[in-house]
């Protein structure tokens, strides 16, 4: 006899620069438990608030597992990650440099395999396994927020690449004379289309002079009130994203593009100029078949994608995804 409580579940982790989320997800993609906490201070002190937050969240999630069996642990983490060694060095968590995240998680939860992928790859896996990209084989998923990240599915499989960083649409160059990018280069999509890049450009052009605390949310509010500069900031961002998407589609023969992340809450402002610019640039027949959607899973895409790594490793666990077999304590 089987009941749904006989089905194994996945313990899932999503580590970002501002928040860490931990959940339990079953094989049908249903979230059984989830909880989030702050990633913590930006210092490099030994107390490591990010790990303390994560360890506390893992502890509480394990407390709700009960008699159910854990199929594995899926971990999505802000990059860069090292999928060979299972270490992470997230740009916004300075205390974690070559941090052995897989080993530490495995030590806390022995006897269960651990899978690690970048956050963009996890978002893409999530939207493909349970979200809006479910029926597409060649998809680019873009996460527009403080930065611009993404993940790529080719032939129905996650393509994380040699180092786990494939799909990094934010650092596709779209303006060879453009602004500096946080990556150290310049003219990248992220240097124009991230939330901070949009507000920086708008402020430089006179938007909300003297209001240094204004964010991309304020920019969206003003754009909906027909503020010319705010509208132009969204048009520039949409155009930069479109240029990156056209280039990627030409290279990878994509059929579908999904836009998610915090800025996708302003999809009404972003998608129209994005699609218009896409149509202007994409003239070859195979490029014109592109379908655009906003992400369906919202802020849980990372956790759902981490569960996809556990339940469907053939599809979502290829090169660029770290897989550590279960290590049983002696
Ligand atoms: Zn860049």
């Amino acid at each position: 006899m089987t009941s749904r409580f006989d089905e194994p579940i996945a313990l899932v982790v999503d580590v970002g620069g501002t928040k860490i989320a931990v959940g339990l997800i079953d094989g049908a993609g249903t979230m059984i438990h989830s909880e989030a906490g702050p990633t913590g201070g930006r210092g490099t002190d030994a107390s490591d608030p990010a790990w303390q937050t994560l360890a506390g969240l893992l502890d509480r999630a394990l407390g709700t597992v009960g008699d159910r069996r854990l199929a594995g642990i899926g971990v999505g983490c802000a990059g860069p990650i090292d999928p060979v060694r299972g270490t992470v060095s997230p740009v916004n968590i300075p205390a974690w440099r070559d941090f052995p995240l897989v080993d530490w998680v495995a030590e806390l939860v022995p006897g269960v395999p651990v899978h690690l992928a970048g956050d963009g790859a996890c978002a893409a896996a999530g939207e493909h396994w349970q979200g809006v990209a479910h029926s597409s084989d060649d998809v680019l998923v873009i996460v527009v927020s403080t930065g611009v990240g993404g993940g790529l599915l080719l032939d129905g499989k996650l393509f994380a690449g040699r180092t786990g960083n494939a799909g990094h649409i934010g650092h596709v160059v779209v303006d060879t004379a453009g602004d500096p990018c946080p990556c150290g280069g310049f003219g990248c999509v992220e240097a124009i289309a991230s939330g901070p890049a949009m507000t920086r450009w708008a402020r430089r052009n006179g938007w909300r002079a003297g209001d240094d605390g204004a964010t991309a949310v304020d920019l969206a509010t003003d754009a909906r009130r027909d503020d010319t500069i705010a509208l132009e900031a969204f048009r520039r961002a949409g155009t930069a994203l479109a240029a990156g998407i056209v280039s990627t589609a030409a290279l990878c023969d994509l059929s579908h593009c999904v836009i998610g992340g915090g800025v996708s809450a302003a999809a009404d402002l972003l998608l129209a100029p994005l699609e218009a610019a896409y149509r202007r640039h994409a003239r070859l027949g195979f490029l014109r078949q592109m379908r655009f959607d906003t992400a369906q899973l919202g802020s849980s895409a990372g956790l759902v994608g981490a569960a996809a790594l556990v339940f469907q490793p053939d599809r979502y666990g290829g090169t660029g995804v770290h897989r550590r077999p279960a290590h049983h304590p002696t």
Side-chain angles (χ1 to χ4, degrees):
M1 194 182 95
T2 57
S3 77
R4 84 180 187 89
F5 290 100
D6 295 329
E7 302 289 330
I9 55 176
L11 176 61
V12 288
V13 175
D14 182 14
V15 178
T18 53
K19 112 182 142 69
I20 295 174
V22 169
L24 294 168
I25 293 181
D26 70 13
T30 306
M31 188 87 70
I32 298 162
H33 162 94
S34 76
E35 194 184 353
T39 306
R42 288 175 163 255
T44 52
D45 61 305
S47 66
D48 192 353
W51 174 253
Q52 285 173 3
T53 296
L54 177 54
L57 291 168
L58 284 170
D59 203 42
R60 280 196 292 284
L62 288 168
T64 69
V65 169
D67 292 337
R68 301 188 70 167
R69 186 171 74 80
L70 280 181
I73 305 171
V75 181
C77 186
I81 68 162
D82 182 336
V84 175
R85 294 162 58 224
T87 59
V88 302
S89 309
V91 174
N92 291 313
I93 310 179
W96 287 12
R97 287 294 170 266
D98 295 322
F99 182 73
L101 182 58
V102 167
D103 284 349
W104 282 37
V105 169
E107 198 171 305
L108 210 64
V109 194
V112 183
V114 185
H115 309 246
L116 167 73
D119 53 357
C122 274
E127 290 292 341
H128 190 256
W129 185 43
Q130 296 291 333
V132 72
H134 189 67
S135 56
S136 301
D137 280 343
D138 300 281
V139 195
L140 173 65
V141 175
I142 306 182
V143 181
V144 186
S145 58
T146 313
V148 177
L152 203 54
L153 287 122
L154 301 176
D155 286 336
K157 290 187 172 181
L158 180 67
F159 182 78
R162 177 178 55 91
T163 67
N165 289 291
H168 231 123
I169 179 79
H171 303 288
V172 168
V173 175
V174 291
D175 181 355
T176 54
D179 281 349
C181 179
C183 73
F186 60 94
C188 304
V189 170
E190 180 168 308
I192 302 171
S194 73
M198 288 169 67
T199 53
R200 200 178 314 119
W201 179 87
R203 206 171 279 125
R204 218 159 60 202
N205 285 275
W207 173 71
R208 292 213 186 191
D211 181 1
D212 289 344
T215 65
V217 174
D218 300 313
L219 194 68
T221 304
D222 288 0
R224 289 194 188 98
R225 291 177 186 147
D226 288 333
D227 179 288
T228 316
I229 295 167
L231 280 169
E232 177 61 14
F234 277 95
R235 194 198 61 77
R236 290 179 83 251
T239 304
L241 284 164
I245 296 164
V246 172
S247 305
T248 310
L251 207 58
C252 301
D253 203 357
L254 304 176
S255 63
H256 194 180
C257 179
V258 177
I259 314 280
V263 175
S264 70
D268 55 320
L269 298 163
L270 195 62
L271 273 187
L274 190 163
E275 290 196 52
Y278 184 89
R279 305 292 166 209
R280 277 198 306 278
H281 287 289
R283 308 311 281 247
L284 296 170
F286 76 100
L287 295 175
R288 288 207 299 260
Q289 294 154 14
M290 181 68 86
R291 179 179 137 206
F292 289 93
D293 277 305
T294 49
Q296 200 174 60
L297 301 176
S299 60
S300 60
L303 289 180
V304 175
L309 306 180
V310 172
F311 288 117
Q312 299 211 0
D314 290 346
R315 197 169 266 260
Y316 306 114
T319 314
V321 177
H322 179 94
R323 292 172 72 179
R324 184 191 206 272
H327 174 73
H328 295 277
T330 49

